[in-house]
C-alpha cells in the first residue's frame, strides 16, 4: 500500500494524563470449535465463551480499579461491544476492545473499537495478513485507510496497531512512533518472537521512552499467547521483574509476560518517568510495578449471554423491530385522531407537531393535511401589504397560561437564587406578552416553512420580520437569542424553525445567519456548569425538556460540527444522569406525571436523532442505551393507547409526544 493512500488522524479523548496508570492486559484461550470462517474470515462463533471471557476481564479490572483494559485481536465480536461501552461508561475507563471484521461498501475491513468513558472510536487495520485475503472477489479483507493517534488520554499519547500493521514501517511512521508515550499491539499470532524482537528495538531506540503492550490470544496451532509489556526501567528493577516472568525463555525478555496458565496481568506504569535517568540516584524508583498476574476466567453456564453491564436485548435486529413498532404506534394514533383533531388544533403549538408528523409519516397528500393547514391559516389576518397579524382571540386558547408561567417563575425565584443574581434574569423583568408572542411566531415560522405556497411565504416573511427586526419592544436579546434571556427554550424553538426554513430567496439571508449564530452562541453561554439548560419557568417546563429543545436547536442547525464539543459534553452529562429522567415508567394520568413523561420522551428522541447524525466510527450513543431510549418511547405510546382519559397540561402534549417518537425513528 502506498503511504499517499493513508490518512493520518489525531483524536483527543479529552482526559487528563495520570501520573500512574493501571493497565490490565487480557489473554483469552480458545478452542478450534469456537471459530467459524464466513467470507474466508475467521470469527468467533461461540458467543457464550466470548462473553464469559469478556466479563471475566472486565470484572477483574473493576475489582482492581484499572484505568485501561487491553484485549487482543478478534477476541471481542462486534455484538458484544455494548457490554464494553456500558462498563466503560460506569467506570470511566479506557478499553482497547480487541477487533472485529465489518462490511463496508468496498469490502470487509478489520477495526478495533477504542472506548473511552463509554464513547467509541475505531482504529483500522491497514495491512491484512496473508490468511485474511482471498482470491475470490468479495471475500477476504481489504486494507483500511486511516491511521489514528490518540491524545489527551490517561496514559498520554498512544496508538493502537492491529497485528501485522506493527511489522510495517509505513504505519508506524505515520503515527509517528517517536511521538507516542504508549503503543498497544493487539494480535492473533502463532509466533510472538518476531514481535518481541521488533518491540525490543523500538523501545531501546525511543528518545523519551515508550511503553509497548502486546496482547495475544491462545489457540493451539494458531496463537501462542505470551502477551507482554515492554519498556525501559532501571537495571535494578529489570532483574527483579525478570524473576517473575511467565515465560522467561523468551528472548529478548520483556518487563512482564504471561505463562501458559495465565490469562491476564495488571501493571502500574509511571507516565512521567518512561525512560529512567542514569546514573541511578537515591530518588530512583521503579516506573513499572507488576500488580498481579494469573488466571481470572470463569465459564458462564451454557447459553448465557446476559451480564451485569447491559440488558439482554442489545441486538441490532431487536432495535430495528422496536423502531418499526414505534412507527406503527404513531400511525395508529394519527389514524385514530386524524391530523385535524378538534382538540389538538386549538393551539398553534399542536399544529406545529401535527405538520411535522404529516411530513415524517408521509401524509402530506391527504385531505386531512390540507384541512390542518387551512386551520392554521385561520389564526391570521392577512393584510394588503403582504403582512399578517396573529388573531389573539384564536391564539390565546388558555389565557391564564401566561399567569401560570409567571407564578412558576416567581416561585422559582423564591426557592432558588440562580436567576435572582441579576436584574435581567429575575421573573419581574420578563415581558410575558413578548415572550409568548416570540414563541408563537417561532412556531408559526416552523409550520409555514414546511409548505411552499404564497400564503405560507407571507407568514414566513412576516414572522421573520417580527423575530429578526421587531422593535418597540425589541424581540431579540442583546446577548443573542430572543427575549427572555432567562428562558432558553424560547430561543431554541425559534432556532429550530429558522433551521427548517429555506431562506435562500431572501436578500438578508447573511444577516439572518448572523442572528442564528448569535442565538446558538447565547445557548452555549446559558448552559449550566452541570451540563444542562435551566428552563427558567420552574416546573412548568422541566430542565430536561428545556435541555432537549436546546440540543435540538444544534441538531437542526447546519453548524453541528462547530458546536460538536458542546453537543458531546451535554449528551455525555445527559446519559450519565439518565437515572434522573428515565427511571420512571411513563404516565399521562396527571399533569405532573404527563409533563415528566413528555420531557423524558423529548430527551430520548433528540439524543437518538443526534446519535443518528454521527458517523459509524464516532458513535455518540452506545447501542444498549439506544435500546433503552427506544424502549421508553415505545412504552410512552403504549401508555397513551391504553388510557382514554389522559390529563396533559397542554393541548400539544400528545401530538408533541407522537411527533418526537416519529422523528426519532423515521427512515
Amino acid at each position: 500500500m502506498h503511504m499517499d493512500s493513508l490518512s493520518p488522524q489525531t483524536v483527543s479523548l479529552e482526559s487528563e494524563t495520570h501520573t500512574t496508570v493501571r493497565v490490565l492486559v487480557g489473554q483469552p484461550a480458545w478452542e478450534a470449535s469456537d471459530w467459524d470462517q464466513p467470507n474466508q474470515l475467521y470469527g468467533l462463533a461461540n458467543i457464550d465463551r466470548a462473553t464469559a471471557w469478556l466479563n471475566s476481564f472486565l470484572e477483574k479490572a473493576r475489582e482492581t480499579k484499572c484505568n485501561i483494559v487491553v484485549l487482543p485481536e478478534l477476541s471481542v465480536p462486534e455484538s458484544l461491544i455494548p457490554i464494553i461501552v456500558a462498563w466503560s461508561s460506569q467506570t470511566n475507563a479506557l478499553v482497547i476492545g480487541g477487533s472485529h471484521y465489518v462490511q463496508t461498501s468496498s469490502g470487509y475491513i478489520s477495526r478495533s473499537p477504542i472506548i473511552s468513558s463509554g464513547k467509541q472510536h475505531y482504529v483500522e487495520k491497514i495491512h491484512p495478513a496473508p490468511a485474511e485475503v482471498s482470491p475470490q472477489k468479495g471475500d477476504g479483507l481489504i486494507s483500511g485507510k486511516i491511521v489514528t493517534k490518540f491524545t489527551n488520554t490517561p496514559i498520554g499519547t498512544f496508538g493502537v496497531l492491529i497485528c501485522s500493521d506493527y511489522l510495517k514501517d509505513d504505519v508506524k511512521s505515520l503515527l509517528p512512533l517517536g511521538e507516542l508515550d504508549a503503543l498497544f499491539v493487539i494480535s492473533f499470532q502463532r509466533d510472538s518472537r518476531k514481535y518481541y524482537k521488533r518491540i525490543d528495538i523500538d523501545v531501546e531506540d525511543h528518545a523519551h521512552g515508550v511503553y509497548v503492550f502486546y496482547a495475544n490470544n491462545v489457540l493451539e496451532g494458531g496463537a501462542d499467547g505470551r502477551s507482554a509489556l515492554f519498556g525501559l526501567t532501571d537495571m535494578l528493577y529489570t532483574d527483579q521483574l525478570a524473576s517473575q516472568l511467565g515465560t522467561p525463555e523468551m528472548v529478548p525478555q520483556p518487563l512482564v509476560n504471561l505463562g501458559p496458565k495465565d490469562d491476564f496481568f495488571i501493571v502500574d506504569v509511571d507516565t512521567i518517568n518512561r525512560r529512567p535517568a542514569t546514573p541511578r540516584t537515591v530518588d530512583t524508583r521503579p516506573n513499572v510495578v507488576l500488580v498481579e498476574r494469573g488466571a481470572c476466567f470463569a465459564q458462564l453456564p451454557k447459553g448465557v449471554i446476559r451480564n451485569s453491564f447491559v440488558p439482554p436485548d442489545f441486538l441490532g435486529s431487536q432495535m430495528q423491530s422496536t423502531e418499526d413498532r414505534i412507527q406503527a404506534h404513531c400511525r395508529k394514533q394519527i389514524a385514530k385522531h386524524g391530523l385535524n383533531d378538534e382538540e389538538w388544533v386549538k393551539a398553534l403549538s399542536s399544529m406545529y407537531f401535527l405538520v411535522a408528523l404529516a411530513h415524517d409519516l408521509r401524509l402530506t397528500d391527504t385531505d386531512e393535511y390540507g384541512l390542518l393547514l387551512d386551520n392554521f391559516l385561520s389564526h391570521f389576518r392577512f393584510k394588503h401589504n403582504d403582512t399578517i397579524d396573529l388573531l389573539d382571540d384564536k391564539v390565546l386558547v388558555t389565557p391564564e397560561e401566561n399567569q401560570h408561567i409567571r407564578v412558576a417563575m416567581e416561585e422559582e425565584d423564591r426557592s432558588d437564587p440562580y436567576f435572582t443574581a441579576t436584574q435581567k434574569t429575575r421573573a419581574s423583568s420578563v415581558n410575558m406578552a413578548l415572550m409568548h408572542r416570540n414563541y408563537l411566531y417561532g412556531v408559526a415560522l416552523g409550520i409555514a416553512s414546511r409548505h411552499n405556497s404564497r400564503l405560507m411565504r407571507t407568514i414566513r416573511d412576516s414572522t421573520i420580520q417580527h423575530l429578526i427586526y421587531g422593535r418597540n419592544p425589541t424581540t431579540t436579546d442583546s446577548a443573542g437569542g430572543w427575549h427572555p434571556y432567562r428562558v432558553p427554550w424560547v430561543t431554541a424553538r425559534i432556532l429550530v424553525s429558522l433551521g427548517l426554513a429555506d431562506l435562500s430567496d431572501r436578500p438578508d439571508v447573511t444577516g439572518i445567519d448572523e442572528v442564528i449564530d448569535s442565538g446558538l452562541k447565547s445557548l452555549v453561554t446559558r448552559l449550566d456548569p452541570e451540563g444542562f439548560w435551566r428552563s427558567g419557568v420552574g416546573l412548568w417546563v422541566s430542565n430536561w425538556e428545556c435541555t432537549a429543545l436546546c440540543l435540538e436547536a444544534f441538531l437542526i442547525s447546519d453548524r453541528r460540527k462547530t458546536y460538536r464539543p458542546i453537543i458531546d459534553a451535554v449528551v455525555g452529562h445527559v446519559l450519565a444522569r439518565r437515572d434522573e429522567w428515565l427511571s420512571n415508567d411513563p404516565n399521562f394520568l396527571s399533569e405532573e406525571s404527563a409533563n415528566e413523561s413528555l420531557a423524558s420522551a423529548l430527551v430520548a428522541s433528540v439524543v437518538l436523532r443526534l446519535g443518528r447524525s454521527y458517523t459509524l466510527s464516532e458513535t455518540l450513543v452506545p447501542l444498549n442505551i439506544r435500546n433503552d431510549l427506544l424502549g421508553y418511547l415505545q412504552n410512552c405510546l403504549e401508555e397513551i393507547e391504553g388510557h382514554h382519559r389522559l390529563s396533559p397540561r397542554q393541548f400539544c402534549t400528545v401530538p408533541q409526544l407522537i411527533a418526537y417518537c416519529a422523528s426519532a425513528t423515521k427512515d
Side-chain angles (χ1 to χ4, degrees), residues 133-239:
V133 295
S134 172
Q136 301 181 50
K137 184 175 177 60
D139 288 344
L141 201 63
I142 63 172
S143 299
K145 303 293 185 184
I146 301 174
V147 178
T148 305
K149 175 176 66 178
F150 295 89
T151 61
N152 301 313
T153 84
I155 202 168
T157 299
F158 74 83
V160 177
L161 296 180
I162 304 175
C163 205
S164 51
D165 282 354
Y166 177 71
L167 304 178
K168 300 292 185 178
D169 290 337
D170 59 347
V171 181
K172 287 192 286 187
S173 65
L174 278 178
L175 282 170
L177 180 61
E179 295 182 5
L180 301 185
D181 302 315
L183 176 65
F184 300 97
V185 180
I186 60 173
S187 70
F188 202 110
Q189 179 55 236
R190 64 166 50 91
D191 184 5
S192 294
R193 287 174 296 182
K194 67 177 73 174
Y195 286 84
Y196 272 45
K197 292 174 182 177
R198 295 280 189 95
I199 295 172
D200 187 63
I201 294 171
D202 284 339
V203 168
E204 288 286 349
D205 291 346
H206 203 279
H208 61 262
V210 63
Y211 297 117
V212 179
F213 295 86
Y214 172 71
N216 194 17
N217 295 271
V218 173
L219 173 64
E220 185 176 357
D224 67 352
R226 293 168 175 169
S227 300
L229 165 63
F230 286 80
L232 297 177
T233 190
D234 190 279
M235 288 298 296
L236 174 66
Y237 308 123
T238 302
D239 293 341

Side-chain angles (χ1 to χ4, degrees), residues 612-630:
R612 267 210 321 263
S613 72
Y614 278 53
T615 62
L616 182 64
S617 63
E618 299 168 314
T619 304
L620 180 68
V621 186
L623 184 59
N624 64 301
I625 296 178
R626 289 207 302 272
N627 278 325
D628 288 345
L629 302 184
L630 287 168

Side-chain angles (χ1 to χ4, degrees), residues 181-356:
D181 302 315
L183 176 65
F184 300 97
V185 180
I186 60 173
S187 70
F188 202 110
Q189 179 55 236
R190 64 166 50 91
D191 184 5
S192 294
R193 287 174 296 182
K194 67 177 73 174
Y195 286 84
Y196 272 45
K197 292 174 182 177
R198 295 280 189 95
I199 295 172
D200 187 63
I201 294 171
D202 284 339
V203 168
E204 288 286 349
D205 291 346
H206 203 279
H208 61 262
V210 63
Y211 297 117
V212 179
F213 295 86
Y214 172 71
N216 194 17
N217 295 271
V218 173
L219 173 64
E220 185 176 357
D224 67 352
R226 293 168 175 169
S227 300
L229 165 63
F230 286 80
L232 297 177
T233 190
D234 190 279
M235 288 298 296
L236 174 66
Y237 308 123
T238 302
D239 293 341
Q240 295 179 45
L241 287 169
S243 67
Q244 300 296 317
L245 287 171
T247 49
E249 70 277 8
M250 289 294 289
V251 178
Q253 285 188 337
L255 298 179
V256 179
N257 70 1
L258 293 181
K261 295 184 178 180
D262 298 327
D263 57 40
F264 79 96
F265 68 79
I266 298 172
V267 291
D268 288 342
V269 297
D270 185 335
T271 64
I272 308 301
N273 185 32
R274 295 185 303 278
R275 191 177 187 98
T278 55
R280 185 184 307 147
T281 71
V282 294
D283 295 320
T284 298
R285 296 291 184 274
N287 59 324
V288 174
V289 175
L290 175 60
V291 177
E292 189 176 353
R293 191 190 79 230
C296 66
F297 178 64
Q299 180 69 55
L300 285 181
K302 185 176 181 180
V304 173
I305 298 180
R306 186 170 181 173
N307 57 83
S308 59
F309 305 124
V310 294
D313 60 343
F314 61 77
L315 297 179
S317 60
Q318 290 184 345
M319 183 184 71
Q320 182 61 45
S321 64
T322 303
E323 291 175 332
D324 291 342
R325 287 195 293 271
I326 289 172
Q327 285 281 309
H329 282 301
C330 293
R331 292 182 180 279
K332 182 177 180 180
Q333 283 296 307
I334 296 305
K336 175 182 176 182
H337 290 271
L339 287 170
N340 202 38
D341 182 279
E342 63 179 5
E343 286 295 310
W344 287 356
V345 297
K346 285 182 178 179
L348 272 180
S349 51
S350 290
M351 284 187 272
Y352 175 93
F353 301 117
L354 290 167
V355 168

Side-chain angles (χ1 to χ4, degrees), residues 472-493:
N472 299 318
T474 302
T475 54
T476 54
D477 187 271
S478 59
W482 284 264
H483 181 85
Y485 186 83
R486 171 186 176 124
V487 185
W489 51 268
V490 170
T491 288
R493 179 57 71 200

Side-chain angles (χ1 to χ4, degrees), residues 340-458:
N340 202 38
D341 182 279
E342 63 179 5
E343 286 295 310
W344 287 356
V345 297
K346 285 182 178 179
L348 272 180
S349 51
S350 290
M351 284 187 272
Y352 175 93
F353 301 117
L354 290 167
V355 168
L357 270 168
H359 283 264
D360 287 344
L361 299 180
R362 299 183 180 92
L363 301 174
T364 54
D365 292 333
T366 64
D367 291 340
E368 285 184 356
Y369 181 66
L371 292 172
L372 172 63
L373 294 183
D374 288 343
N375 213 315
F376 167 66
L377 294 174
S378 72
H379 284 69
F380 303 92
R381 177 187 296 113
F382 291 85
K383 302 166 73 172
H384 72 282
N385 58 353
D386 285 335
T387 61
I388 60 166
D389 282 333
L390 270 170
L391 299 175
D392 287 350
D393 61 332
K394 284 218 169 195
V395 169
L396 294 177
V397 180
T398 53
E400 73 280 3
E401 183 173 353
N402 279 355
Q403 182 57 32
H404 285 317
I405 294 176
R406 166 73 76 187
V407 169
M409 287 181 175
E410 292 171 348
E411 290 177 350
E412 185 173 31
D413 282 359
R414 283 192 293 270
S415 61
D416 185 345
Y418 184 86
F419 290 111
T420 60
T422 67
Q423 178 65 40
K424 176 179 178 178
T425 55
R426 292 173 189 164
S428 58
S429 299
V430 174
N431 182 331
M432 296 301 300
L434 178 59
M435 169 182 161
H436 192 66
R437 192 156 286 263
N438 276 348
Y439 180 77
L440 291 175
Y441 271 90
V443 167
L445 172 61
I447 297 173
S449 297
R450 290 180 178 269
H451 190 79
N452 188 23
S453 70
R454 182 179 60 81
L455 291 178
M456 290 299 185
R457 285 194 297 275
T458 297

Side-chain angles (χ1 to χ4, degrees), residues 88-110:
S88 174
S89 297
Q90 295 172 11
T91 60
N92 291 319
L94 168 68
V95 181
I96 315 299
S99 71
H100 58 269
Y101 300 122
V102 63
Q103 188 171 21
T104 70
S105 58
S106 302
Y108 286 93
I109 64 169
S110 174

